[in-house]
């Protein structure tokens, strides 16, 4: 059994694709594993353990020589596959001199690593966050470095009742907390659907719609285990058929989240706020991005405070409310992935 809270056989976002650039190394810890990232001359990304085979010096403090990494301590040189190709003061290279490398792929403006068994790294399983780079959508995003376990961030996004309390004044109002919601799940997916019908919109959404009067508002959470979320949100003029599928009298956003455990108690949280209307208006893109950034700073504060309180109360447990149904299903899907990994590990031993 493992006491890890995260599975390893999955794609995790390690950063925005622009953060990994040619000619420079980026050190980042993913699932407790320090990794160094860089790009080859042809632009393809590389991920390898950030610890030299010889004496474990961090390779990220070394240099790039073409597509290879040179250790900062005694100059061992590793090619992008992790094999040592040069050792100082000796002609024969010890064939076991390798550092581990990882499958890595650019997709939907993010770069993703498979930290588990490389044999099962299927590029077809990179989570679908196509709204980040679909030509019919536009948007931009940012990163939070959260001092909290990644599942607290998942819980936070799987229940938007907290908007009423954490985000009062921007996207939260009483109507959110009072509206009923529906949870469905299938294999590694969980969806939570909430419609808030015929209510005055909160400030942000009223401004986006640009028309006075009540709206039908939706929040449809699409979760893919272990920690990717696409949040379909919007408002339409009340009674114009949005719940039945006609969104033509409304405005729609897809907020995407790729949430990656850095350690058990810290998290890389990559978000982007996309929309499919007025897509050439860059100032609206900036207003959305900065508005959403402020909203997530409020989440960051409550999640870090929650983690601190959990650490200070190690004997206490969580209790469940109806509103936790989505988050609890997400946690069950994650637990099933972890259990499947330990079963296959036991079989292999
Ligand atoms: S620690 Fe890297 S070459 Fe010695
Ligand atoms: Fe929030």
């Amino acid at each position: 059994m493992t006491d890890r809270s995260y599975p390893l056989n999955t794609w995790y976002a390690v950063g925005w694709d622009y953060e990994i650039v040619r000619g420079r190394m980026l050190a980042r810890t993913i699932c407790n594993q320090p990794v160094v990232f860089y790009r080859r001359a042809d632009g393809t990304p590389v991920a390898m353990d950030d610890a030299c085979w010889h004496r474990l010096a961090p390779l990220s403090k070394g240099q790039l020589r073409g597509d290879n990494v040179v250790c900062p301590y005694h100059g061992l040189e590793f090619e992008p596959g992790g094999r040592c190709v040069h050792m100082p003061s000796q002609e024969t290279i010890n064939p076991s001199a390798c550092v581990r490398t990882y499958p890595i792929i650019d997709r939907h403006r993010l770069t993703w690593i498979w930290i588990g068994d490389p044999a099962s790294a299927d590029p077809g399983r990179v989570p679908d966050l196509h709204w980040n780079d679909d030509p019919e959508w536009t948007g931009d995003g940012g990163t939070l470095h959260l001092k909290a376990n990644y599942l607290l961030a998942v819980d936070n996004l799987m229940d938007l009742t907290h908007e009423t309390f954490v985000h009062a004044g921007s996207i939260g109002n009483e109507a959110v907390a009072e509206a009923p919601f529906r949870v469905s799940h299938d294999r590694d997916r969980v969806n939570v659907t909430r419609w808030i019908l015929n209510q005055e919109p909160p400030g942000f959404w009223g401004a986006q719609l640009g028309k006075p009067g009540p709206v039908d508002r939706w929040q449809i959470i699409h979760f893919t285990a272990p920690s990717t979320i696409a949040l379909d949100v919007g408002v339409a003029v009340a009674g114009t058929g949005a719940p039945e599928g006609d969104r033509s009298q409304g405005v729609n956003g897809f907020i995407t989240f790729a949430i990656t455990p850095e350690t058990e108690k810290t998290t890389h949280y990559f978000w982007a706020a996309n929309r499919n209307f007025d897509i050439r208006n860059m100032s609206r893109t900036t207003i959305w991005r900065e508005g959403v950034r402020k909203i997530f700073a409020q989440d960051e504060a409550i999640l870090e405070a929650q983690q601190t309180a959990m650490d200070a109360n190690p004997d206490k447990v969580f209790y469940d409310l109806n509103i936790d149904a989505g988050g609890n299903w997400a946690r069950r899907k994650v637990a099933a992935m972890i259990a499947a990994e330990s079963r296959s590990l036991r079989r292999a031993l």
Side-chain angles (χ1 to χ4, degrees), residues 80-104:
R83 209 165 35 84
C84 180
V85 291
H86 175 75
M87 287 182 172
S89 311
Q90 67 181 68
E91 276 176 19
T92 347
I93 292 178
N94 183 331
S96 71
C98 287
V99 289
R100 181 172 180 195
T101 60
Y102 299 88
I104 181 165

Side-chain angles (χ1 to χ4, degrees), residues 1 7 13 23 31 46 68 74 83 93 105 136 180 185 215 218-219 229 258 265 274 284 304 308 315 318 322 340:
M1 280 306 289
C31 300
V46 177
N68 298 346
H74 314 98
R83 209 165 35 84
I93 292 178
I105 198 165
E136 292 190 1
H185 64 95
V215 297
W218 65 93
Q219 297 173 327
I229 291 171
K265 293 189 182 173
N274 304 302
R284 196 188 287 265
E304 294 191 352
T308 304
D315 300 331
F318 285 8
N322 293 343

Side-chain angles (χ1 to χ4, degrees), residues 156-157 159-160 162-163 166-167 171 269 295-296 298-299:
N156 169 271
L157 292 164
D159 167 46
L160 300 178
H162 79 267
E163 287 186 355
V166 178
H167 310 303
I171 52 172
Y269 179 114
I295 289 169
F296 293 155
Q298 296 170 327
D299 290 307

Side-chain angles (χ1 to χ4, degrees), residues 149-214:
N149 177 270
Y150 83 108
L151 288 173
L152 298 184
V154 171
D155 290 340
N156 169 271
L157 292 164
M158 293 303 284
D159 167 46
L160 300 178
T161 310
H162 79 267
E163 287 186 355
T164 304
F165 308 98
V166 178
H167 310 303
S170 55
I171 52 172
N173 59 11
E174 278 302 322
V176 176
E178 296 313 319
F181 61 91
R182 199 160 35 82
V183 180
S184 62
H185 64 95
D186 177 33
R187 292 184 307 178
D188 63 344
R189 309 278 172 107
V190 181
N191 291 335
V192 182
T193 304
R194 182 177 239 151
W195 280 91
I196 304 146
L197 299 176
N198 202 23
Q199 298 278 343
E200 283 302 316
F204 174 81
W205 281 114
Q208 296 309 307
L209 189 62
K211 294 176 191 164

Side-chain angles (χ1 to χ4, degrees), residues 19-26 37-44 60 62-68:
E19 292 184 276
I20 302 173
V21 293
R22 273 186 281 250
R24 201 174 71 208
M25 286 186 278
L26 173 75
F37 301 94
Y38 65 96
R39 283 187 194 278
R40 299 179 224 226
D42 69 2
T44 53
S60 58
Q63 284 176 12
L64 289 173
R65 183 176 292 151
D67 286 352
N68 298 346

Side-chain angles (χ1 to χ4, degrees), residues 313-334:
N313 293 280
D315 300 331
K316 294 201 167 70
V317 295
F318 285 8
Y319 290 99
D320 290 334
L321 303 175
N322 293 343
I323 57 170
D324 299 310
N328 284 346
W329 269 112
R331 283 177 177 259
R332 276 181 214 126
K333 302 292 183 187
V334 171

